[in-house]
Amino acid sequence: MAGDVPTSRRAILLAIFIAFGFLFGYDMGVISGCLIMPDFIRRFGQIGADGLPYLSSSRQSIIVSLLSAGTFFGALAQAFTADSLGRRGSILLWSAIFTAGVAIQTGTTYSLVQLVIGRFIAGLGVGSLSAIVPLYNGETAPKAIRGTILVMYQVQIVTGIFLSYLIELGSHEINNSASWRIPVGLQLVWGLILLSGMFFLPESPRHLLGTGREEEARRVIAELNNVSEDDPLVIEVVEELDFAIRAENEGGQATWAECFSTRNALWKRTINGMMLQFIQQLNGQNFYYYYGDTFFQAAGTQLTPYAIQTILGAVSVAGTLPALYLIETWGRRRSLLTGALLQSICAIIVALVGHFTLAATGTPVSELTARNKSGGNVIIAFAVLHVFLYGTSWGPTPWVYLGESFPLRIRPKAIALGSATNWLWNFMLSFFSPRIVASIGPLILLVFFGMLIFGFCYVYLAIPETKGITLEEVDELYSSGVPAWRSASWIPSDKTHVQHRRADEVKEVHEKQSDSAEKARD
């Protein structure tokens, strides 16, 4: 495009609303607290040899992992609805499915089967929405603020996690089912708000043009950019989108295999999206959520697991706020490179200090030595810093990249593959981490350290800078073959033509001034 798209209040409000709460951020946080609530254990656990109820590791695994299984399939399933029902209609459908899943969970009394079925159904909604939201935001956001709006997606995720921790901090002492029904049931509110609000939000203009609804697309573009429908900006956007869509549709209906085709380096873009989601899940931040209480207790703290979760949740929220600014000033590459480097330093310090100074798990606070406590304090400091840095860099940026890297033709499918990769490795991490920790303890952070170093190298060699260019210009960026480490200085051809024209105009003015000066001397 010739110029930057003006910032629209409606576009910003749309992005905030579409990521409201956000559903799966809250759901990811709420279940960990429920697993240690006495009433929850009594209803869904087993009776031990001592006559007391307990929740076995296998039941915990089933309860937690069924959501992840649902999210994986939901992320892939949305690719079929995003085109047939539209982005807006697809969000309506999956919001309704999520809400139904939450209602099934909340309404259960003693049935473990009903609980896990409800979590699986809710997971279908969570996974599909995790793919559709960046797709929808990426297609509706003006390019000048597209990165910031997509970062809001991650802000809402961690805000949802933090909110779940806060609610459980207050509800866990209730001596009946309200202790877990309140935090679980509140998800009905988030789902219903999103479900009802979508009736008032527009369809993606790219999808409207792709289905031949040009007048609607013009109206939406004008509203999102706060201009009239006959504004030159609207005409320019429609012409560019229409040209790109016609070019994309020449090959017939898109297939999953096309996501890995050589045309416009689609295979490279799909692999990049999946790799960033894979590396994101193995940054190490989830480990702190699962085992942060162990580190805090090693330092002699008396904080409850609920208080520890709340602290880490607050740090995550604080970490994402600078990303709203850095994503458009530093750009995508610099955010990822800096985040990987600084997080790797935190990971190696936590691994080594934890291995050589922490007391054995379960050691009473009264028996902790000065060495144990000082080592624990170092671990706490760097664990908190690690979580903060993740929120600033690798938390939001892979979702930003996923939302802005693919042409309209394959966008739903490519984003589905990236989102499904995220949920697959989320499941793998939650399943295998306890077993690895049981064997090597804090040295598990060496795994995350190695992944962060790998992530730094991968980003430097393979991830181009997409800040400040339109979704259509991303095609040209990849087709140009410019190396990723030089992509920040790459200029789209239309802007190059403008620069050349302006240079010619300046040269012409100078020549006229020179001729006038010569005539004056004569």
Side-chain angles (χ1 to χ4, degrees), residues 495-510:
K495 294 180 181 178
T496 303
H497 294 330
V498 170
Q499 290 179 349
H500 288 166
R501 186 173 67 251
R502 289 176 178 173
D504 292 340
E505 290 173 352
V506 170
K507 182 179 179 181
E508 184 178 350
V509 169
H510 287 166

Side-chain angles (χ1 to χ4, degrees), residues 227-281:
V227 295
S228 63
E229 290 187 38
D230 58 355
D231 189 273
L233 173 64
V234 176
I235 298 172
E236 181 183 10
V237 171
V238 169
E239 288 178 350
E240 289 188 3
L241 290 178
D242 191 50
F243 176 80
I245 290 168
R246 284 201 307 271
E248 291 169 6
N249 289 339
E250 286 179 355
Q253 187 175 2
T255 63
W256 289 94
E258 190 173 341
C259 294
F260 300 94
S261 69
T262 56
R263 183 174 63 87
N264 290 338
L266 291 179
W267 68 272
K268 184 183 296 184
R269 295 148 80 168
T270 301
I271 294 296
N272 281 350
M274 296 172 68
M275 286 297 295
L276 287 182
Q277 295 294 328
F278 160 63
I279 298 168
Q280 183 206 55
Q281 281 300 308

Side-chain angles (χ1 to χ4, degrees), residues 102-341:
V102 173
I104 292 172
Q105 294 176 66
T106 308
T108 188
T109 52
Y110 292 93
S111 173
L112 178 64
V113 173
Q114 182 178 338
L115 178 71
V116 297
I117 288 176
R119 285 186 59 75
F120 180 81
I121 293 174
L124 291 174
V126 169
S128 58
L129 289 167
S130 73
I132 297 173
V133 168
L135 168 67
Y136 183 80
N137 278 347
E139 291 186 347
T140 55
K143 69 173 182 179
I145 58 172
R146 187 178 65 236
T148 299
I149 284 180
L150 287 168
V151 167
M152 289 180 186
Y153 173 75
Q154 178 69 14
V155 173
Q156 300 289 20
I157 293 175
V158 296
T159 301
I161 294 174
F162 178 52
L163 182 59
S164 73
Y165 292 161
L166 280 178
I167 292 172
E168 289 185 330
L169 186 64
S171 73
H172 78 276
E173 294 183 350
I174 300 175
N175 293 322
N176 54 48
S177 65
S179 59
W180 58 270
R181 287 191 199 274
I182 290 175
V184 171
L186 274 175
Q187 294 174 99
L188 291 170
V189 177
W190 321 143
L192 290 172
I193 289 177
L194 182 58
L195 186 62
S196 60
M198 282 310 300
F199 287 101
F200 305 98
L201 293 178
E203 179 56 86
S204 159
R206 285 176 173 82
H207 177 74
L208 290 173
L209 282 173
T211 53
R213 296 146 68 184
E214 183 174 327
E215 289 304 315
E216 288 183 66
R218 289 180 182 275
R219 184 169 64 253
V220 171
I221 293 170
E223 290 177 353
L224 291 174
N225 293 287
N226 205 25
V227 295
S228 63
E229 290 187 38
D230 58 355
D231 189 273
L233 173 64
V234 176
I235 298 172
E236 181 183 10
V237 171
V238 169
E239 288 178 350
E240 289 188 3
L241 290 178
D242 191 50
F243 176 80
I245 290 168
R246 284 201 307 271
E248 291 169 6
N249 289 339
E250 286 179 355
Q253 187 175 2
T255 63
W256 289 94
E258 190 173 341
C259 294
F260 300 94
S261 69
T262 56
R263 183 174 63 87
N264 290 338
L266 291 179
W267 68 272
K268 184 183 296 184
R269 295 148 80 168
T270 301
I271 294 296
N272 281 350
M274 296 172 68
M275 286 297 295
L276 287 182
Q277 295 294 328
F278 160 63
I279 298 168
Q280 183 206 55
Q281 281 300 308
L282 293 180
N283 262 221
Q285 80 293 340
N286 284 339
F287 173 78
Y288 295 120
Y289 287 121
Y290 300 146
Y291 301 99
D293 58 329
T294 301
F295 291 153
F296 278 59
Q297 289 164 1
T301 181
Q302 299 297 314
L303 293 174
T304 67
Y306 294 99
I308 294 170
Q309 284 183 333
T310 304
I311 291 170
L312 291 176
V315 171
S316 294
V317 174
T320 56
L321 298 180
L324 293 168
Y325 172 77
L326 294 176
I327 197 69
E328 296 296 358
T329 53
W330 279 15
R332 288 51 160 163
R333 276 177 57 83
R334 189 175 177 186
S335 293
L336 291 171
L337 291 171
T338 304
L341 183 61

